[in-house]
Amino acid sequence: MIQLSKITVYFGGQSLFKDITFMVNKGERVGLVGKNGAGKSTLLNVMSGALAPNGGSISTSKSYEISYLTQDLDFEDGKTVLEEAQTAFVKVKKLQRELEKAHEALAIRTDTESDAYMDLIADIGEMEEAFIAMDGYNLEADCSRVLQGLGFVIDDFEKQTNTFSGGWRMRIELAKILLQKPDCILLDEPTNHLDIESIIWLEQWLKDYSGAVILVSHDKTFLDAVTNRTIEIVAGQIYDYKAAYSKYVTLREERLSIQVQAKKNQDQHIKQTEKLIEKFRYKASKAAFAQSLIKKLDKLDRVEVDATDNSTMKFRFPPAPHSGKVTIEAKHICKNYDSLEVLKDVSLSVDNGDKVAFVGKNGEGKTTLARILANALDYTGHLKLGHLVKVGYYAQNQSDLLDDKLTVLETVEKAATEHSSSKVRALLGSFLFSGDTVEKKISVLSGGERARVALCKLLLEPVSLLIMDEPTNHLDMRSKDILKQALVNYNGTLIIVSHDRDFLQALTDKVYEFKNQKIKEYIGDVTAFLEARNVSDLKALEMAKLKSKTNNGKAQSEHQMDYKAKKTWQKDHRKARNKSGRLEKEIDQVEKELKQHDEDLLDSVKFKELSGEAGFFAAYEAKQKRLGELMSDWEEAVQELEQLERRNPE
């Protein structure tokens, strides 16, 4: 358990958040969400101990371990991938050495009847138990399983870490955290450097993990798959819901709607009361009555509507200029980086208006081909762009290429042409840069702000072919939704590289998968691609095979359970079934009560009565929240029951 109490953080004299209090228990998987700059990464830094808060405290038990994957890491060279991953086992290796020494000491002892000898045997027993609890006998298998799950192949294990890109080295750091199995894992944008298959694997790992997980992510699908609780940071406050992200959004909207209506009703009541006070306060016969009304107003618990930040980008891509029917004709494209062959004999054709997604593991050539098509990289083979095709290119590291010395306004003005220079300020305003904010230096901008500047530059001139490489990195949920809608409405040709399944869904009509220096075409969006590839099942099959190898030599398998194990299963199954049934009944009861309340609120007479009833709307809101909690608990109970039934020993 980790407890935060009244955490306050100031930057430059301004409060980022104030008096934040919440607790995270074992097994909870918390999605920490909010707009860019809300303080999500800062809060993770505070929880990890990397940043001391200006006020408040964090408490945990003495042995509580927290591991933190931050976005900014300093890598150390000199080890292979496997050696670096195995540094996660410091505690286990230390215990292993102590255990070996104890066994050596035991072997040379002759005083087998002494108390000291028996104490040594007891110590060895305790160390053995601790070693087994740490899964010490399966370290190599665990290491291999995690590294392969995150996209490494066995041939990579003996390669030096400095031969890999920063994204792949982030995967090694993530692997180390997963292998450490601490009490609490803090993850800041863990999917930014992962491909779709690795994200799916990580989802399953985190769902099976018994400790607590607190993660920052703008990947809606990932959050929905992993989390069972959502904490949003808005205007220095937090709003806590026991639900995954999508369900949280619905509950949040319902909560705000109820609050707005309750405040409206209360404001009307206050207004009428103030009129009565004004009418009677100067009449001697009614002065006491007026004073009693004043006291009631003073004691009234005022309804407050949760803080919201509705500022959003507002933009559309300029209409694509006219171009030929065929946008891209590529034949026999090859690309090597020294001895590394990335693309081999790749051919594709893209017509005007096509919307295409490039997917596949990192390092398979997606960015390379995107750069070739944007004429930003040399190659061998034949590439022809269609008649009058004008290309716009958003590079994967586009926001990192901005000049830190320039201001936001200077950056966009420098990229503007004679035709677009007059609309620079208006365009910046649509990307939430107005007033003094346009004079901010690029160096002080957050990752999300830098991404918005880079997008703004892309809109300065209309293009007929838009090539975008990981444009959603660093964008918050709302900004991603707006970008997606702008791309849906864009009437030109689109090629997009992304691993964000929610973003790609219903955006493209064709998917190219990159694998083994080749590409394979799939018709439809990313959902159709995943169904065709059956990625989840393939990954599950690979993990099952690896687990099977790991378990070779064990005395018993899952299908050879002894009598005691069967009894345990029956007890767990009965308990899970009863819990599911109990929750279903409680959900039915709460739903009936809410349905009756909704019908009463639609009746004008009853609505007036209920509006004057103290505490009605608070109780209504509490029932709504309780229903959400019950639904979440029921889903977990059903999943637990299904997992038990799949493990039925009969």
Side-chain angles (χ1 to χ4, degrees), residues 626-642:
R626 177 60 180 157
L627 180 60
E629 293 171 349
L630 287 170
M631 289 295 292
S632 179
D633 291 344
W634 176 78
E635 287 176 5
E636 290 179 10
V638 169
Q639 289 175 4
E640 182 183 353
L641 187 59
E642 289 175 350

Side-chain angles (χ1 to χ4, degrees), residues 511-537:
V511 173
Y512 281 107
E513 181 190 20
F514 286 65
K515 191 173 184 180
N516 299 328
Q517 298 90 41
K518 301 284 188 179
I519 63 173
K520 183 177 180 180
E521 181 184 280
Y522 295 82
I523 301 302
D525 69 353
V526 71
T527 303
F529 159 72
L530 290 173
E531 289 174 353
R533 280 278 281 106
N534 204 2
V535 171
S536 296
D537 289 346

Side-chain angles (χ1 to χ4, degrees), residues 26-27 29 145 181 185 200-213 225-226 540 543 547 639 643 646-647:
K26 181 179 179 179
R29 299 184 297 276
R145 178 171 62 91
K181 299 177 184 175
I185 294 177
I200 291 172
W201 179 88
L202 180 60
E203 284 174 0
Q204 190 57 52
W205 194 97
L206 291 174
K207 283 192 282 188
D208 294 339
Y209 178 58
S210 61
V213 178
V226 172
M543 292 304 108
K547 188 174 181 181
Q639 289 175 4
Q643 289 172 2
R646 284 197 294 270
R647 298 200 302 267

Side-chain angles (χ1 to χ4, degrees), residues 17-59:
F17 37 72
K18 186 176 182 180
D19 292 341
I20 285 182
T21 298
F22 64 91
M23 181 173 65
V24 179
N25 295 307
K26 181 179 179 179
E28 286 192 307
R29 299 184 297 276
V30 182
L32 194 58
V33 302
K35 294 191 68 175
N36 287 330
K40 303 183 295 296
S41 296
T42 300
L43 189 55
L44 288 186
N45 278 323
V46 169
M47 295 178 74
S48 72
L51 176 68
N54 298 99
S57 62
I58 298 176
S59 58

Side-chain angles (χ1 to χ4, degrees), residues 191-255:
T191 64
N192 268 4
H193 303 284
L194 300 181
D195 51 71
I196 290 175
E197 290 191 31
S198 296
I199 291 173
I200 291 172
W201 179 88
L202 180 60
E203 284 174 0
Q204 190 57 52
W205 194 97
L206 291 174
K207 283 192 282 188
D208 294 339
Y209 178 58
S210 61
V213 178
I214 304 169
L215 64 93
V216 172
S217 178
H218 296 139
D219 187 328
K220 192 183 300 181
T221 305
F222 182 71
L223 284 171
D224 282 343
V226 172
T227 62
N228 53 22
R229 180 178 171 190
T230 301
I231 295 177
E232 182 184 25
I233 303 178
V234 182
Q237 303 176 57
I238 63 166
Y239 300 96
D240 194 344
Y241 290 80
K242 192 176 180 182
Y245 181 78
S246 292
K247 187 179 289 185
Y248 144 76
V249 171
T250 301
L251 293 172
R252 178 100 162 99
E253 288 173 355
E254 290 174 355
R255 174 186 171 96

Side-chain angles (χ1 to χ4, degrees), residues 460-633:
L460 288 168
E461 291 295 324
V463 296
S464 48
L465 170 59
L466 191 55
I467 301 173
M468 306 192 79
D469 191 355
E470 299 289 5
T472 63
N473 282 356
H474 306 299
L475 291 182
D476 57 43
M477 300 283 195
R478 200 176 300 169
S479 298
K480 284 203 303 184
D481 289 342
I482 291 165
L483 173 59
K484 179 177 178 177
Q485 191 56 51
L487 291 172
V488 167
N489 295 331
Y490 174 59
N491 67 335
T493 306
L494 172 67
I495 293 176
I496 188 159
V497 180
S498 180
H499 60 253
D500 190 320
R501 288 159 291 168
D502 179 71
F503 184 77
L504 288 177
Q505 190 174 21
L507 175 58
T508 63
D509 45 44
K510 190 186 298 183
V511 173
Y512 281 107
E513 181 190 20
F514 286 65
K515 191 173 184 180
N516 299 328
Q517 298 90 41
K518 301 284 188 179
I519 63 173
K520 183 177 180 180
E521 181 184 280
Y522 295 82
I523 301 302
D525 69 353
V526 71
T527 303
F529 159 72
L530 290 173
E531 289 174 353
R533 280 278 281 106
N534 204 2
V535 171
S536 296
D537 289 346
L538 283 174
K539 187 58 73 174
L541 179 62
E542 290 170 13
M543 292 304 108
K545 287 179 180 177
L546 188 60
K547 188 174 181 181
S548 176
K549 291 178 183 178
T550 303
N551 290 338
N552 282 343
K554 288 189 176 180
Q556 292 181 327
S557 71
E558 191 174 3
H559 299 290
Q560 295 172 321
M561 298 174 72
D562 58 16
Y563 176 78
K564 184 178 178 181
K566 287 180 183 179
K567 282 292 185 184
T568 301
W569 179 88
Q570 290 170 354
K571 180 182 177 182
D572 292 342
H573 184 265
R574 184 169 58 254
K575 184 178 177 182
R577 189 179 63 232
N578 291 341
K579 182 180 179 182
S580 173
R582 176 179 57 77
L583 287 168
E584 284 180 14
K585 289 179 182 178
E586 195 169 350
I587 286 168
D588 286 341
Q589 181 60 34
V590 176
E591 284 181 336
K592 285 178 184 176
E593 292 173 3
L594 285 172
K595 184 179 179 182
Q596 185 60 53
H597 286 329
D598 291 337
E599 290 174 358
D600 291 344
L601 289 171
L602 290 173
D603 185 303
S604 58
V605 176
K606 289 184 178 179
F607 178 82
K608 190 173 181 180
E609 292 174 358
L610 294 172
S611 297
E613 188 177 309
F616 170 76
F617 284 103
Y620 181 87
E621 180 188 343
K623 283 181 183 176
Q624 287 273 17
K625 185 176 181 181
R626 177 60 180 157
L627 180 60
E629 293 171 349
L630 287 170
M631 289 295 292
S632 179
D633 291 344

Side-chain angles (χ1 to χ4, degrees), residues 289-308:
F289 173 62
Q291 285 300 315
S292 69
L293 291 177
I294 291 172
K295 289 178 181 178
K296 283 183 180 180
L297 279 186
D298 289 341
K299 294 178 180 178
L300 187 64
D301 188 10
R302 303 293 175 114
V303 175
E304 292 193 9
V305 178
D306 291 348
T308 55

